[in-house]
Structure formats: C-alpha cells, structure tokens
Amino acid sequence: MASRFRSREAWTGYVFVLPAVGLFAVMGLYTVGYGLALSFAQWNGFTPQWTWVGFGNYLDLIYRDPAIAPVVQGAALRTLVVMIAVPVLTVLVGFPLAVALNHITRLRAAFRTVFFLPQVTAGIALFYAWTYALQPDGSLNYILRHLGLGSIAQPQGWLGNPSTALPTLIVVMVLGSVPVAMLLYLTGLQSIDQSVVDAARVDGASGLRTMTAIIWPLLLPITGAVVMLNLRYALQDFQTFLLMTNGGPGGHTLVLGLESYNLAFVSGFKPTLGLSSALGWTLFVVALLLAGINLRVLRSRA
C-alpha cells in the first residue's frame, strides 16, 4: 500500500515537471542548437538554403573580414572597459550603501525602497528618462548650471559627446545594478554573527579594522556573486546601448551585444545572421569561462 502511494506520488511529480521540461527542450535546447548550427553558415533569413562556411564566420569576426573585423575589435575593447568598470563601481557603491543602511534604524525600509525603486521600474521607461535628463537642455545640465558648475555641463548632451557617452552609459548601468548588490550585501551583513564583531571590538579593533579584516572577508562570496552577475550583464547587455545611443556618437558606444543585434536585424538582406550567431556564441562561451573562473576562485577561498 505504501509503495503504491509513493509510486502515485512520483507520477504526480513527473506530470507537474514534464511541461517545464518540454518547454525547456523546445525553447532552450532547440534554439541553442539552431543558433550553434547557424554560426557555421551564411544566411539572410529569407533564402531557402544555408551556405555552410565552417569556422569562416568566426575568422571573419576576429580578423579576416576588413569591413567587420575592425568594428568587432573596437566593440570588444569597449565591452572590456564596461566589463571592468560596471562590476567594480557596483561593489564600490553598493557595499558602503548596505553598510550605511545596516547601521541606521529609523527609516531603513523607506531608504531601502528608494534605492531599490529603479530595479522594479520598467527598463525602457528608465532608459528614456535618463535620455531626457542627459540631453543638452536636460535636467543634469540645468542643475549644473544653476550650481555654478556650467563648465562641466555638456552643450551637446552627455550622450552626444564622444568622450562622455560611454562613461555616462556605464554610470547608468551601475545605478541600475546597485540596488540588487546593496540588497545582497545588506542580507549578508544582517546574517553575520554579532558576537564575532563584538569580540573584535573587545580586542581593540577599530571600526575600519573590523570592517576590512572580519566583515569584508565574510562577505567575499556575496562579492563574487555581485561581480559575476554584473560581468554577465556588462558582457551581454545591448538594450541600454540600443535605446540610449544606438551605438553613437560615431560608434563610440558600440559594444559586442549591440553589434550582434545589428548583424542579425539591421543588415537588410545581407547574409549576416551566421555572423551574428557566431558573435553570440562567442559571448556565451566567454560568459561560461568567467562563471567557471569565478566558481573556482570562490571554492579556493572557502
């Protein structure tokens, strides 16, 4: 009787799981396999046949095609800058904010809500709001001029100046990433055993010493997760660049994610879907390598 009940329970579990497995098989494995096959072919999406080129698409992206390779190389350099800046700045801003919120008792929930609000706002609305604020007559230039800092204001807009466009987008990405990082750090801080901190203070450790020698090492796994999340975000994000600058001005904000989108959807009838897929798979492999390195570093410190 008991075995029959367990068997029925197991079959009930399979019935509930099967739709999710089927959906993953169709939307996940099939599309991933299709994209991998397409990365070895030339196709514009309209002709009935693919033209197989083997690793030709990958070689064209890296060095062989004089029209595409320089664009991809420039986009790779800008992507690398974003991949370094966004995780580092997110940690540098998110951790102190979490420490400050952890020390205050009054209005903590209100401050936490204010800081987390951008995360729950629709991304497209947030990007357009930033675009308006950063225009030549936008609110940022207006505030700077009324504070007597008109020399810093950008007459052509913060996104229209080639020297400020990419740094400005990095700041926007960081401000969008900080809420999650702050929440993770705040959770970690509140899970630390207070007796450990009290023992350090009894031994004469200053607040800074306690923070750097005890609290920060205990939060390293959270820092690893924050860095990994933002590395993936910086590597694969393209909607921020598409909606706010579309790669401009003059290609100074063109990154690999946006270039992959352009090759797939903005190249007309040119057979560049394979190039786009090859670039997407390259980003996917890099993301996997970074995840593996991050996991290995965290395990070595555990």
Side-chain angles (χ1 to χ4, degrees):
M1 184 68 181
S3 62
R4 185 181 299 175
F5 178 75
R6 282 196 295 272
S7 175
R8 184 181 299 173
E9 208 174 34
W11 277 109
T12 305
Y14 287 130
V15 168
F16 277 103
V17 167
L18 274 177
V21 173
L23 188 64
F24 174 73
V26 174
M27 302 300 293
L29 296 180
Y30 173 75
T31 53
V32 168
Y34 190 89
L36 178 61
L38 185 57
S39 72
F40 297 107
Q42 286 185 343
W43 191 43
N44 64 4
F46 297 98
T47 56
Q49 300 294 330
W50 295 3
T51 303
W52 294 98
V53 295
F55 285 95
N57 286 332
Y58 292 92
L59 299 180
D60 286 344
L61 290 172
I62 296 172
Y63 72 93
R64 203 169 64 180
D65 192 316
I68 294 177
V71 176
V72 172
Q73 290 166 7
L77 181 60
R78 284 183 285 275
T79 303
L80 181 63
V81 171
V82 176
M83 287 173 64
I84 295 172
V86 170
V88 170
L89 292 176
T90 300
V91 171
L92 290 179
V93 176
F95 180 67
L97 271 178
V99 173
L101 279 179
N102 193 46
H103 279 83
I104 64 174
T105 53
R106 300 181 62 183
L107 299 177
R108 178 190 293 177
F111 282 117
R112 191 170 53 196
T113 302
V114 169
F115 286 125
F116 202 74
L117 198 57
Q119 191 65 32
V120 297
T121 306
I124 190 166
L126 202 61
F127 294 144
Y128 278 123
W130 272 112
T131 303
Y132 291 133
L134 296 167
Q135 285 182 351
D137 56 351
S139 55
L140 182 56
N141 277 347
Y142 178 83
I143 292 171
L144 289 173
R145 288 174 183 133
H146 280 75
L147 291 176
L149 301 173
S151 59
I152 303 177
Q154 298 296 316
Q156 59 207 104
W158 291 82
L159 300 176
N161 186 340
S163 61
T164 60
L166 186 60
T168 303
L169 287 178
I170 289 173
V171 170
V172 171
M173 293 176 71
V174 169
L175 292 177
S177 303
V178 160
V180 172
M182 181 198 66
L183 203 60
L184 290 173
Y185 277 125
L186 190 58
T187 304
L189 286 168
Q190 292 175 351
S191 66
I192 293 177
D193 190 348
Q194 188 59 34
S195 63
V196 177
V197 179
D198 292 339
R201 287 175 180 163
V202 169
D203 287 341
S206 65
L208 181 61
R209 178 68 177 164
T210 304
M211 183 62 67
T212 56
I214 296 177
I215 296 177
W216 176 253
L218 288 174
L219 296 180
L220 274 182
I222 292 179
T223 301
V226 170
V227 169
M228 191 60 230
L229 284 173
N230 285 283
L231 272 177
R232 188 204 61 79
Y233 173 43
L235 179 66
Q236 297 182 331
D237 178 53
F238 77 95
Q239 64 267 30
T240 307
F241 300 88
L242 174 67
L243 293 172
M244 295 188 67
T245 62
N246 197 17
H252 284 82
T253 59
L254 181 65
V255 292
L256 289 177
L258 181 58
E259 177 60 12
S260 178
Y261 171 84
N262 289 338
L263 288 170
F265 301 108
V266 194
S267 58
F269 293 100
K270 295 180 181 176
T272 55
L273 277 176
L275 286 168
S276 172
S277 185
L279 186 52
W281 262 93
T282 304
L283 295 176
F284 177 64
V285 171
V286 172
L288 283 182
L289 290 175
L290 290 173
I293 293 171
N294 183 64
L295 188 63
R296 189 173 182 82
V297 170
L298 288 179
R299 282 181 177 172
S300 67
R301 290 179 178 275

